[in-house]
Amino acid sequence: MKIIGISAAMAVAWAATAQANAFDDCVLKNMQGATSDVAAKSIKVACIRKSSVTLTDDDLKGLKVSNGFYGTFGMMRTPGFTAEVKNNTGFIVTEITFAITIGDGPAEMYRVDNFNYQEPGVIYTGPAPDPTFDMRIDPLKSKKFQFEMDRREIEKKKKWGWSLVGAKGIVSQ
């Protein structure tokens, strides 16, 4: 009987310290009415967007961009950028804003909220089973991704640069 009491007390203590994040709460609240996989996936996508908050300038310092280049990707040879971001923040990153400059022109802001990477030579036959997989960069992880942006001036050997100027994410527990 003492073992059951001790186990129950430990379970209550563990439950009291376990906390869901805003995304988890949103999914739990809204998933009750879901009657199909399509509905469930739509709820998760809506919750990831609804639960994201703007990262502070201090938090942005925890995001490191590397291996960036401009080129084409995919079977359709889509023009755009490839980047890799290391997330050293306490957030699940759900959106990144880049400032991209070409030559002496003004910075163009570009928001990325899909961190998909099309591996060269691989043919994809459909969307990922869980669309939110491509909508997040988890804490202490790196993710390589591509985003479409047709800037043919870069191909004509114009200098270009970019910087990460904003991000959103979900607090990770």
Side-chain angles (χ1 to χ4, degrees):
M1 197 61 149
K2 284 185 179 182
I3 293 176
I4 294 173
I6 292 171
S7 297
M10 288 174 57
V12 169
W14 178 80
T17 59
Q19 298 175 3
N21 60 34
F23 171 73
D24 296 333
D25 291 341
C26 179
V27 170
L28 288 171
K29 177 182 172 188
N30 293 294
M31 199 62 77
Q32 294 172 0
T35 58
S36 70
D37 284 346
V38 172
K41 289 175 184 176
S42 295
I43 289 167
K44 286 182 74 178
V45 168
C47 285
I48 207 167
R49 289 189 173 128
K50 179 182 178 185
S51 305
S52 296
V53 297
T54 301
L55 274 65
T56 66
D57 288 340
D58 283 341
D59 291 322
L60 283 178
K61 293 175 186 172
L63 297 176
K64 303 297 180 207
V65 181
S66 63
N67 301 327
F69 63 89
Y70 181 82
T72 58
F73 55 89
M75 293 206 40
M76 302 300 292
R77 302 198 40 82
T78 304
F81 292 90
T82 298
E84 186 168 351
V85 172
K86 170 77 172 166
N87 180 5
N88 290 320
T89 72
F91 291 85
I92 299 166
V93 174
T94 59
E95 180 181 300
I96 295 175
T97 302
F98 290 100
I100 299 173
T101 56
I102 302 170
D104 294 332
E108 298 177 44
M109 301 304 158
Y110 196 83
R111 184 179 60 86
V112 180
D113 65 358
N114 186 329
F115 307 111
N116 183 31
Y117 179 73
Q118 297 179 30
E119 191 71 41
V122 175
I123 298 174
Y124 295 90
T125 59
D130 181 353
T132 59
F133 175 78
D134 286 334
M135 296 177 70
R136 60 187 287 153
I137 304 173
D138 292 332
L140 305 177
K141 301 282 184 179
S142 289
K143 197 162 203 180
K144 189 179 210 179
F145 58 93
Q146 298 152 323
F147 57 96
E148 182 178 351
M149 190 172 181
D150 190 356
R151 294 296 178 262
R152 307 269 181 203
E153 314 87 287
I154 293 172
E155 293 175 353
K156 296 175 184 166
K157 307 294 182 207
K158 280 206 169 185
K159 288 186 177 183
W160 65 277
W162 65 356
S163 60
L164 194 147
V165 294
K168 288 186 175 182
I170 299 169
V171 176
S172 177
Q173 297 295 342

